[in-house]
């Protein structure tokens, strides 16, 4: 007899529907075909043990299991459950009505328990596109899949319960929680930062407009402390952003039973020993890297010059295109990588160049060599450069309360709302994403502002890319001030965030 079930294969962050055909006939061998990897081939052993534990048997006849289409490589243990159900149906040990109406995925233990899989949200998105309206998934994956409207998601704990459900036992589909009403609370708050008003202002602008930022300062000046508090002032995620971010984390298995959905913006702090594949993604069947896990959130690189130069250079294309392509022999996949880059570094090897009190012990050539670990093209793609200085004793122990994160987040949200309305007919969301044509049409300057910008460009010897980035920052500063036009004071402030180019650092 022939039985048919549906599963799903992951290709990048997207899924494809896989038809699992099981035929039991004359003979004595079991064949698993359709380009399965070794993990799927091992599923026969898990399936045999699981069905025996609930009172069924593995047929001692010829069994052919075909995973179609055969030109897509299938990976992972998630095919255990549909293979087991198809095998029981094809061997006529039980009759399950409507088996082919469901997309079914789940890993089986030897006792028949159903274990979680990766990429359930991507599978649900593809199932809806293909007209499949019901899914049977492990309980741990049901909530994330339920984010997609118009689908009935049934979470199953074990093989026995799945069979009973397919025999007609009633079970309510899983409902997704109202994630847009979740109240986010952050332990790290900007009120814990004393002084550093210039740096906090720069961070507010960076978050409001999506501008990448580098903080340069000696040890103990608070660079890392401020960076860790950036998520607390970022605007809440909307449903589209939650789905995109959860989809990426689901593929790499970063979701847990306690946190089945990503509702907080990611903050990925990387060590300088990170490899290129870990940063951008890799493997035979490409998986997202850290820059994709930071999608819709923050990627923090501390001690920037300590990273391998060839690894840092890989950031150049994602910073421009907001995505990262990975090519393999069987094709190319693209992962989203729309993140806010926050980086920090010392101004020299000893860390005390430009320090107001402690002398620098580095030789000029050592400082120059240290700074040249970051290439000019990469530095040019970082919108904002800011020097941070340590606090004095009086500033450190001042009694005045610092502004907390909620009012800053509210200002950022209002600025983002202005940008959402501005770009409602395009695919971009923030000022930092504007292309050259949009900069020319949106970031218009009066005569005084234009003259001020021209003088700064000539004096600082900035590139055309830096010119556009200053205009984008000025537009964001104007949005924070709720100004419809860019004024000279907005341009002047934006220029101060580009005065740390290499010529000025070493000077």
């Amino acid at each position: 007899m022939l039985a048919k079930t549906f599963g799903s294969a992951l290709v990048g962050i997207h899924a494809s529907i896989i038809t699992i055909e099981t035929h039991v006939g004359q003979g004595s061998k079991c064949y698993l075909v359709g380009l399965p990897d070794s993990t799927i081939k091992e599923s026969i052993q898990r399936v045999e043990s699981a069905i025996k534990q609930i009172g069924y048997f593995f047929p001692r006849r010829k069994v052919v299991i075909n995973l179609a289409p055969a030109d897509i490589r299938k990976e992972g243990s998630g095919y255990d459950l549909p293979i087991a159900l198809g095998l029981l149906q094809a061997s006529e040990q039980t009759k399950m009505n409507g088996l082919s109406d469901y997309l079914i995925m789940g890993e089986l233990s030897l006792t028949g328990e159903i274990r979680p899989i990766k990429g359930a949200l991507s599978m649900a998105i593809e199932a809806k596109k293909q007209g499949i309206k019901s899914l049977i998934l492990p309980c741990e994956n049901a909530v994330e899949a339920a984010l997609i409207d118009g689908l009935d998601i049934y979470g199953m704990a074990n093989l026995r319960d799945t069979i009973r459900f397919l025999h007609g036992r009633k079970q309510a589909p899983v409902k997704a929680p109202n994630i847009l009403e979740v109240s986010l609370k952050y332990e790290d708050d900007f009120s814990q930062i004393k002084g550093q008003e210039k740096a906090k202002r720069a961070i507010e602008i960076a978050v409001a407009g999506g501008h990448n930022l580098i903080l340069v300062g000696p040890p103990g000046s608070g660079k890392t402390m401020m960076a860790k508090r950036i998520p607390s002032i970022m605007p809440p995620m909307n449903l589209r952003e939650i789905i995109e971010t959860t989809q990426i984390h689901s593929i790499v298995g970063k979701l847990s039973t306690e946190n089945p959905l990503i509702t907080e913006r990611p903050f990925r702090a990387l060590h300088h020993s990170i490899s290129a594949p870990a940063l951008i993604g890799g493997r035979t069947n490409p998986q997202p890297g850290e820059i994709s896990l930071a999608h819709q959130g923050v990627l923090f690189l501390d001690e920037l010059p300590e990273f391998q130069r060839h690894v840092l250079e890989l950031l150049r294309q994602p910073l421009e295109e907001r995505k990262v392509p990975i090519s393999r022999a069987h094709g190319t996949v693209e992962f989203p990588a729309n993140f806010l880059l926050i980086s920090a570094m010392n101004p020299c090897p000893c860390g005390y160049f430009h320090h107001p009190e402690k002398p620098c012990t580095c030789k000029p050539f050592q400082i120059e060599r240290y700074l040249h670990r970051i290439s000019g093209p990469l530095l040019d793609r970082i919108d904002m450069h800011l020097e941070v200085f340590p606090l004095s004793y009086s500033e450190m122990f001042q009694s005045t309360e610092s502004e907390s994160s909620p009012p800053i987040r509210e200002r950022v949200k209002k600025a983002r709302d202005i940008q959402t309305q501005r770009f409602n007919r395009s695919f971009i969301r923030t000022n930092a994403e504007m292309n050259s044509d949009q900069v020319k049409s949106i970031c218009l300057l009066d005569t005084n502002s234009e003259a001020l910008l021209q003088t700064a460009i000539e004096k600082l010897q900035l590139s055309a890319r830096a010119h556009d980035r200053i205009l984008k920052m000025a537009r964001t500063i104007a949005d924070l001030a709720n100004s419809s036009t860019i004024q000279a004071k907005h341009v002047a402030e934006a220029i101060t965030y580009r005065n740390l180019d290499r010529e000025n650092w070493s000077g």
Side-chain angles (χ1 to χ4, degrees):
M1 182 178 175
L2 179 67
K4 183 169 71 173
T5 58
F6 290 104
S8 186
L10 296 173
V11 182
I13 66 168
H14 303 292
S16 296
I17 300 299
I18 301 299
T19 303
I20 304 166
E21 300 170 316
T22 306
H23 181 263
V24 177
Q26 297 295 322
S28 59
K29 287 188 177 181
C30 179
Y31 300 91
L32 185 57
V33 298
L35 208 59
D37 73 345
S38 58
T39 307
I40 301 177
K41 293 177 181 177
E42 293 169 354
S43 69
I44 299 300
Q45 308 303 320
R46 294 190 296 271
V47 168
E48 181 175 5
S49 175
I51 64 177
K52 283 182 178 179
Q53 292 296 320
I54 61 172
Y56 296 96
F57 62 88
F58 195 94
R60 299 306 173 189
R61 292 186 286 167
K62 181 180 179 181
V63 177
V64 180
I65 302 170
N66 179 41
L67 309 178
D71 61 337
I72 297 178
R73 185 168 183 81
K74 294 84 181 177
E75 293 187 344
S77 55
Y79 298 92
D80 292 1
L81 183 57
I83 287 175
L85 295 173
L87 191 63
L88 293 175
Q89 184 92 324
S91 60
E92 299 181 325
Q93 297 182 62
T94 183
K95 183 173 178 60
M96 293 169 280
N97 297 322
L99 182 61
S100 60
D101 295 335
Y102 296 87
L103 186 148
I104 305 171
M105 290 293 284
E107 177 186 340
L108 289 176
S109 71
L110 298 184
T111 60
E113 302 299 315
I114 300 178
R115 292 172 174 165
I117 59 171
K118 298 178 181 179
L121 182 54
S122 296
M123 296 173 186
I125 293 172
E126 183 63 21
K128 184 175 181 178
K129 289 181 181 177
Q130 299 300 327
I132 299 175
K133 297 183 178 180
S134 301
L135 285 78
I136 295 176
L137 299 171
C139 290
E140 293 87 344
N141 300 115
V143 173
E144 61 175 285
L147 273 177
I148 308 303
D149 291 333
L151 296 178
D152 291 329
I153 310 297
Y154 299 96
M156 297 295 168
N158 54 63
L159 179 58
R160 188 188 301 275
D161 287 348
T162 307
I163 295 172
R164 288 174 177 172
F165 171 74
L166 291 169
H167 281 164
R169 188 188 69 179
K170 299 292 184 181
Q171 180 172 326
V174 174
K175 299 295 183 184
N178 192 343
I179 53 179
L180 298 181
E181 293 185 359
V182 175
S183 178
L184 301 179
K185 296 182 179 180
Y186 299 93
E187 294 182 3
D188 296 325
D189 193 277
F190 266 73
S191 62
Q192 300 159 348
I193 301 174
K194 298 292 185 181
Q196 300 293 10
E197 299 305 323
K198 176 75 172 178
K200 288 190 283 189
R201 168 67 174 172
I203 290 173
E204 180 180 339
I205 295 169
V207 175
H211 305 288
N212 302 314
L213 169 68
I214 183 169
L215 300 170
V216 184
S221 56
K223 303 185 296 293
T224 303
M225 181 181 183
M226 287 186 284
K228 288 182 177 179
R229 283 153 179 77
I230 289 177
S232 70
I233 66 169
M234 298 188 79
M237 298 174 73
N238 57 39
L239 183 59
R240 177 188 59 82
E241 292 172 331
I242 290 173
I243 290 176
E244 287 180 359
T245 310
T246 301
Q247 190 177 1
I248 296 169
H249 285 71
S250 174
I251 288 169
V252 295
K254 294 291 185 180
L255 301 180
S256 63
T257 306
E258 296 77 21
N259 298 297
L261 304 174
I262 304 297
T263 56
E264 295 184 16
R265 294 190 180 273
F267 181 87
R268 308 294 295 184
L270 308 187
H271 191 265
H272 56 75
S273 62
I274 191 170
S275 66
L279 180 68
I280 67 168
R283 295 177 54 183
T284 304
N285 183 22
Q287 296 284 297
E290 287 291 341
I291 62 174
S292 294
L293 292 172
H295 182 62
Q296 303 296 351
V298 176
L299 183 73
F300 178 52
L301 306 183
D302 203 0
E303 305 296 342
L304 190 65
E306 301 301 327
F307 285 77
Q308 300 178 68
R309 183 169 178 139
H310 77 278
V311 173
L312 288 180
E313 291 304 295
L314 294 172
L315 290 171
R316 286 163 57 176
Q317 184 177 358
L319 286 174
E320 288 292 324
E321 300 182 0
R322 312 282 173 169
K323 59 186 178 182
V324 54
I326 300 178
S327 298
R328 292 294 182 266
H330 60 272
T332 300
V333 298
E334 285 186 346
F335 295 118
N338 189 359
F339 56 87
L340 177 64
L341 176 65
I342 304 295
S343 50
M345 62 176 287
N346 295 330
C348 65
C350 78
Y352 295 109
F353 184 60
H354 284 178
H355 194 283
E357 297 177 0
K358 297 183 180 181
C360 174
T361 60
C362 301
K363 303 293 184 183
F365 76 90
Q366 291 176 314
I367 298 175
E368 187 70 18
R369 185 171 59 190
Y370 181 77
L371 297 177
H372 271 83
R373 293 181 185 178
I374 308 171
S375 71
L378 175 61
L379 186 63
D380 216 24
R381 285 168 168 79
I382 300 177
D383 307 42
M384 306 176 69
H385 313 154
L386 184 70
E387 267 192 300
V388 182
F389 298 99
L391 299 178
S392 64
Y393 182 87
S394 59
E395 290 175 318
M396 199 177 303
F397 295 99
Q398 64 181 350
S399 58
T400 307
E401 287 289 330
S402 298
E403 187 177 26
S404 62
S405 294
I408 302 176
R409 183 169 63 244
E410 187 60 30
R411 292 197 297 269
V412 168
K413 184 177 181 301
K414 289 180 179 179
R416 286 283 187 103
D417 290 342
I418 293 173
Q419 295 166 63
T420 299
Q421 295 177 4
R422 177 180 298 134
F423 305 120
N424 63 349
R425 295 186 179 181
S426 65
F427 294 104
I428 67 176
R429 296 292 179 269
T430 61
N431 290 330
E433 299 176 56
M434 285 190 287
N435 58 36
S436 297
D437 291 337
Q438 290 169 321
V439 170
K440 291 177 183 178
S441 61
I442 293 174
C443 302
L444 302 176
L445 302 180
D446 58 26
T447 304
N448 292 336
S449 300
E450 186 67 48
L452 176 62
L453 180 56
Q454 181 179 349
T455 301
I457 294 295
E458 293 174 351
K459 183 177 180 180
L460 298 176
Q461 297 181 351
L462 300 178
S463 66
R465 182 181 283 114
H467 171 274
D468 283 357
R469 296 193 185 283
I470 289 174
L471 287 177
K472 294 176 186 179
M473 282 188 284
R475 181 63 266 173
T476 299
I477 295 168
D479 290 340
L480 284 168
N482 198 26
S483 173
S484 59
T485 59
I486 299 176
Q487 302 173 15
K489 61 181 180 181
H490 303 145
V491 175
E493 183 178 1
I495 291 171
T496 65
Y497 300 122
R498 290 297 304 195
N499 65 354
L500 293 181
D501 288 288
R502 183 166 290 129
E503 293 80 1
N504 296 314
W505 290 358
S506 58

